[in-house]
Amino acid sequence: MSAQVHALKAINTRVEAPEDGAGLFEPVPFKVYTQRDLDRIPQLARLSPARRFEMKVVSSVLPFRVNQYVIDELIDWDKVPADPIFQLTFPQRGMLAAEHYERIAGLLRREAPKDELERAIDTVRHALNPHPADQMALNTPRDEDGELLDGMQHKYRETVLFFPSQGQTCHSYCSFCFRWAQFVGDKALRIASSEAHALHDYLRRHTEVTDLLVTGGDPMVMKTRHLRDYLEPLLRPEFDHIQTIRLGSKALSFWPHRFLGAEDADDLIHLLTQLVEAGKHVALMAHYNHWKELDTEAARAAIRRIRSTGTVIRAQGPLIAHINDDPAVWAEMWKREVRLGLVPYYMFVERDTGARNYFEVPLVRAWEIYQQAIQQVSGVARTARGPSMSASPGKVEIQGITEVVGEKVFVLRFIQARNPDWVQRPFFARHDEQATWLDQLVPAFGEEKWFWQAEYEALRDQGLAAA
Ligand code: SF4
């Protein structure tokens, strides 16, 4: 579509403010801009043509999508390009390595034929580690006949991730997104499923699973009726073992009107209430990167409305250079979250994919930021864990930096692991100022391997052989 501007109908006839506060908001049309619409965003006119060209180059490779709410209410255009929400949503030149940037820029400048450009874009994308932590090779479960169940991941014993095919986009895209491969239209790089019965069959057979995480993209882009098809059957007795339903979403930040004036917002609120009243723990795993995302009237009203259902909102997000690599930003964010009734949950380390070179923060600095931020908040905000790396063996948290018998070390532990026996066992890595990810660390005290390494390698070889 030429304008790439969609209007999602949000007809809400209610005029009175109900108790949950939703009726205070008029329906707001949803307008979204993608790469082809960059020139149609009036605020970008204040940037130089060179900078706008850079944005076009980068957004040819990495997904770009931003909506009017983000542009109007979250970005402070007087502070662009440094504004954190601008960095969070708009492409920046540094997101591509110089050689990749020059290659695509050259092709765009000389208006190269479409297929030549597409081949080059494809090559660059595949060089960006589209599926970090072996997610496709190792985590995709199988059905009873041994067939791979696309659209599901089962890495940790008690948790299944489900990627509904209607939820494989987001209201805006984060420039650093570790799931960017979901959005570039290459089916080979996508994880998605619309198979509600496959999900239910799998969960029925796997009674060790207690948690279902519906994720994406963002499941909140789905119509409520689709979400209902996946979730309502879980109220049957055969799914009693599914105690917790988590919904991974950034809609509270990028499009809070999803919970307010959208045409099926009431039905969504009703569905959440129904699940909670039936005894499920429902958790909205809300993705936040900066306190500014909590600071609009719509964001606060949406939070109130979701909380009124009994759903718990847990807040999490990665530590990202140019956006939130500052203890003051995290401390402020955690304070505001607690004030609004959210539970601070995770500070993640930026994953080893996509535009990582631009956004990554050394682990030493990540730990300092976490420590300095947590020292500024009260006990109720110290529920935030981190900095945590979602790596292939498991979620590894940096617990601290210290000295043991004269050697400076990172103290690490698994919060989650492929083998539950690894969880909570401290282990040590040699101090390294530059390291940004687990695979760059080496065991401390002259050890050759991590305590979990041989077992992990065996599991990995087994998984890769079966894939
Ligand atoms: S909301 Fe999540 S999945 Fe969507 S673009 Fe941002 S990081 Fe990626």
Side-chain angles (χ1 to χ4, degrees), residues 170 172-174 176-177 179 183 216-217 250 254 287:
C170 301
S172 284
Y173 290 152
C174 306
F176 58 77
C177 177
R179 293 218 170 112
F183 311 132
K250 198 167 170 68
F254 281 161
H287 174 184

Side-chain angles (χ1 to χ4, degrees), residues 164-175:
S165 55
Q166 305 93 336
Q168 296 312 306
T169 184
C170 301
H171 294 101
S172 284
Y173 290 152
C174 306
S175 42

